[in-house]
Amino acid sequence: MATDVLVVGGGAAGIAAAVVAARSGCSVTLIDSSPTVGGQYYRGAEPPDSGSGLSYEALRRAFDELVDAARIDRRLHTYAYALERRDGGFLLRTRGDDRHRGDVGEVEASAVVIATGAFDRQLPFPGWTLPGVMSGGGAQALVKGSGVLPGQRIVVAGTGPFLLAVAHALISAGGNVAAVVEANDPLGLARHTRSVLPAAGKSADLARFLAALAKKRVPYLRRHRVRRATGNGRLESVTVSRVGDDWQAIPGTERLLECDALAIGYGFTAQTDLAGQVGARMRIGSDDGLAIEVDARQRTSVDGLLAAGETTGIGGVDLARMEGLIAGVAAVEHCGRRAALSERAIDRGMRDVVKLRGFADALHATFPVRDGWRDDVDDTTLVCRCEEVSAAKVRSAVNDLGARDARSVKLLTRAGMGWCQGRVCAPAVDGLCGFDSAASLIGGSYRPVAVPVPLGAIASDRMSP
Amino acid sequence: MSDKAAKRPGSAGSTAAPAEFSFDGTPYRAIEGQTIAAALIEHGIVAWRRTRVNDQPRGILCGIGVCFDCLITVNGEPNVRACMARVEPGDDVRSQEGTGYGD
């Protein structure tokens, strides 16, 4: 049975798109891999009775009501693994969660909204495979999703304002945060007043996070970088140094921070796999990461395929929600209906998208990734954690075997060939090898199967009557 | 932002139902809805897989289902992502060696 609008991902963007489409009279199916909607930021938290209009809280309440009224078919614990064109529309192939990965299914749709979010970008360093080292998003998921702190004494590190959000979530839950280690200089944001002032609400969030840190006397170590992690079988400490403009460590500034958890991330990588499978055009975002190219109405280069949220360029949860609204409108129009959102509201939404995108660009300019991280990656440091490929092997593929792109490195070393399909190591391989990341990112991002599926499940599904 | 208060082991005030499970034969208690990774970390267990090539310990990295570093064996089924799978009462959770298939 076909649906008018299929939304992949139930975060802020997906919820907004689904609500607009359902209110406009379209049949809507929304799938999400988690047991709840809400995405990485809001997670399953029940929406408070506050917020009106197009706020997240109001949209989330509307979403729940539309699910209860059977106007949105919400499918949780469901992974999308392949998207295809089919009869002028789309066919999405799905599977169940890891306990039910043989439960394969299909959804046919006229329009598809890709709202699959992003995950933390990692850069390798000695000791980064020690248990206790995890992504900022992983630490946030533990504390917000399961009510568990990642450790007794936690260091938050990497770059970007998300570090402050993670530290704030940990502190709010009673966590002991030893330090927030920021490789860039956040004061650089002051240079971007034209982008920052219109998004005053976003700056207020940052100020609130900083105030929470100051209240708990948590040091915010600016222009500092984690250089290695040490411990016997699990994390016991990290070494940080002050860094220069290119993130090169400044001699004599090394300092040891004892900790049993490190929450680290250097920005984000968008989940663009499904759009790539149907040939949607990609672009390189202002954070040097891959993003799905969209027009002002969130339309991709593929007719009927919309994208919203982090998949179109990392920009945070408020931008995601506004893009979701616009994508919902475009999906409705693709189905030949009129959107149940006034022209004024649509215009305002599109203006908000421009404003919030400008703020995101200012953040990306303030919190870039600089090359100095490579200096600490010694020969034994693993680059590809799945296939356990060392930096020595990756460098040798370039220096001794003549590899000139990430695909050749992968074929020569197996870096990127494991379970995660290169999602984690791609930025590291490009950085260490000095590849043009734009070409490499676009070339290396095609994944015909977005999540592993048991062959037996596909075979039995295809043979069943 | 609505931060849910984190509960340390044995902390009072949680109203969620407990779920008993075992890890490598030892019984543990989780709160229903917690991921297996979260339940183990709450009990101080941060590694539950040894890698195929170098036999090194691993726990969670991305924590949101992308990196597959946290694979674990649940009720005899290997390669379950501990960061995504929720604890279900009676789960027999086992640390995983390599591929999990004893090869």
Side-chain angles (χ1 to χ4, degrees):
Chain A
M1 195 186 69
T3 187
D4 292 331
V5 178
L6 167 61
V7 180
V8 188
I15 285 174
V19 167
V20 168
R23 278 182 176 165
S24 307
C26 290
S27 58
V28 177
T29 300
L30 179 141
I31 75 161
D32 194 283
S33 57
S34 295
T36 59
V37 293
Q40 294 304 331
Y41 188 80
Y42 295 106
R43 308 209 64 92
E46 286 303 312
D49 229 8
S50 62
S52 58
L54 302 175
S55 68
Y56 173 75
E57 290 76 15
L59 287 169
R60 174 63 206 278
R61 284 197 301 273
F63 179 84
D64 290 354
E65 284 162 20
L66 288 161
V67 169
D68 289 343
R71 289 171 62 191
I72 294 175
D73 176 6
R74 177 193 59 191
R75 302 187 191 175
L76 301 171
H77 300 280
T78 304
Y79 285 83
Y81 72 85
L83 182 65
E84 303 163 17
R85 300 303 315 256
R86 174 70 64 93
D87 303 332
F90 298 89
L91 176 77
L92 183 76
R93 299 187 187 279
T94 65
R95 51 153 268 198
D97 63 24
D98 284 8
R99 286 169 176 272
H100 313 90
R101 52 191 149 204
D103 292 354
V104 291
E106 299 176 348
V107 186
E108 280 185 75
S110 304
V112 174
V113 179
I114 304 292
T116 40
F119 56 92
D120 303 70
R121 178 158 54 192
Q122 297 299 337
L123 301 173
F125 55 93
W128 77 303
T129 56
L130 276 173
V133 176
M134 68 190 72
S135 75
Q140 175 179 255
L142 279 178
V143 74
K144 285 190 183 178
S146 287
V148 171
L149 291 164
Q152 305 288 335
R153 191 173 151 82
I154 311 152
V155 169
V156 179
T159 192
F162 181 61
L163 305 184
L164 297 175
V166 171
H168 181 255
L170 293 170
I171 290 168
S172 302
N176 175 13
V177 176
V180 177
V181 183
E182 165 62 63
N184 285 300
D185 184 358
L187 294 178
L189 195 56
R191 283 198 296 271
H192 301 274
T193 44
R194 216 180 301 171
S195 310
V196 172
L197 289 179
K202 304 295 291 178
S203 310
D205 280 346
L206 295 181
R208 192 164 52 89
F209 296 156
L210 282 171
L213 247 61
K215 197 174 161 202
K216 293 280 179 189
R217 300 185 186 283
V218 176
Y220 186 32
L221 303 177
R222 285 157 289 186
R223 295 172 72 95
H224 279 70
R225 182 166 61 75
V226 167
R227 303 188 53 205
R228 59 186 169 273
T230 43
N232 185 13
R234 61 187 290 176
L235 179 67
E236 291 167 15
S237 64
V238 296
T239 302
V240 303
S241 281
R242 207 178 141 73
V243 297
D245 288 343
D246 198 35
W247 289 13
Q248 72 279 21
I250 295 174
T253 63
E254 275 195 14
R255 151 151 49 146
L256 194 76
L257 299 175
E258 282 181 19
C259 57
D260 61 350
L262 171 66
I264 191 163
Y266 290 93
F268 293 89
T269 299
Q271 296 259 40
T272 58
D273 302 331
L274 297 173
Q277 289 169 356
V278 290
R281 202 176 305 134
M282 300 287 162
R283 68 180 185 95
I284 302 300
S286 58
D287 65 341
D288 295 329
L290 196 67
I292 304 168
E293 189 178 290
V294 290
D295 65 12
R297 296 184 88 86
Q298 304 302 129
R299 292 176 295 210
T300 72
S301 64
V302 176
D303 191 34
L305 187 74
L306 302 312
E310 311 295 13
T311 61
T312 70
I314 305 304
V317 73
D318 296 321
L319 176 58
R321 174 168 47 88
M322 298 319 292
E323 289 192 359
L325 288 171
I326 306 302
V329 169
V332 168
E333 288 170 353
H334 180 81
C335 295
R337 290 176 183 268
R338 246 182 96 80
L341 201 60
S342 71
E343 281 301 321
R344 246 182 68 192
I346 295 170
D347 282 347
R348 199 164 51 217
M350 286 167 52
R351 278 202 304 276
D352 279 347
V353 167
V354 171
K355 186 176 76 183
L356 292 166
R357 180 63 67 196
F359 183 68
D361 288 343
L363 288 178
H364 296 322
T366 307
F367 300 98
V369 172
R370 300 291 186 200
D371 289 343
W373 63 270
R374 303 176 194 177
D375 303 346
D376 290 316
V377 181
D378 60 19
D379 278 352
T380 60
T381 303
L382 289 190
V383 175
C384 169
R385 300 168 65 110
C386 299
E387 295 295 309
E388 299 173 78
V389 182
S390 67
K393 279 189 191 152
V394 169
R395 286 179 175 130
S396 166
V398 174
N399 299 336
D400 306 329
L401 304 173
R404 290 292 171 266
D405 55 43
R407 191 182 137 77
S408 309
V409 171
K410 174 168 147 183
L411 295 174
L412 290 166
T413 68
R414 300 191 63 80
M417 221 178 259
W419 277 96
C420 90
Q421 299 193 70
R423 288 179 177 89
V424 176
C425 68
V429 169
D430 291 337
L432 288 174
C433 299
F435 294 148
D436 167 15
S437 66
S440 189
L441 277 176
I442 290 173
S445 67
Y446 176 68
R447 299 185 178 95
V449 177
V451 66
V453 190
L455 286 173
I458 302 177
S460 60
D461 188 53
R462 296 282 162 85
M463 284 187 289
S464 62
Chain B
M1 178 156 66
S2 55
D3 294 318
K4 189 171 134 193
K7 300 289 175 225
R8 297 304 297 164
S11 62
S14 173
T15 52
E20 308 276 348
F21 72 105
S22 70
F23 174 66
D24 287 344
T26 305
Y28 289 98
R29 178 172 285 197
I31 296 166
E32 211 177 320
Q34 279 182 334
T35 63
I36 291 172
L40 290 173
I41 288 171
E42 185 162 41
H43 291 287
I45 300 162
V46 295
W48 45 82
R49 177 171 80 94
R50 297 198 73 90
T51 60
R52 210 170 66 241
V53 182
N54 298 333
D55 188 33
Q56 291 296 303
R58 294 282 174 86
I60 67 166
L61 173 67
C62 83
I64 59 171
V66 173
C67 77
F68 293 83
D69 230 16
C70 65
L71 299 178
I72 201 164
T73 297
V74 182
N75 302 328
E77 180 79 20
N79 301 318
V80 171
R81 283 167 287 180
C83 73
M84 295 298 287
R86 263 58 186 175
V87 174
E88 286 178 17
D91 272 346
D92 173 16
V93 178
R94 305 239 164 217
S95 52
Q96 184 169 321
E97 303 285 331
T99 64
Y101 288 103
D103 50 5

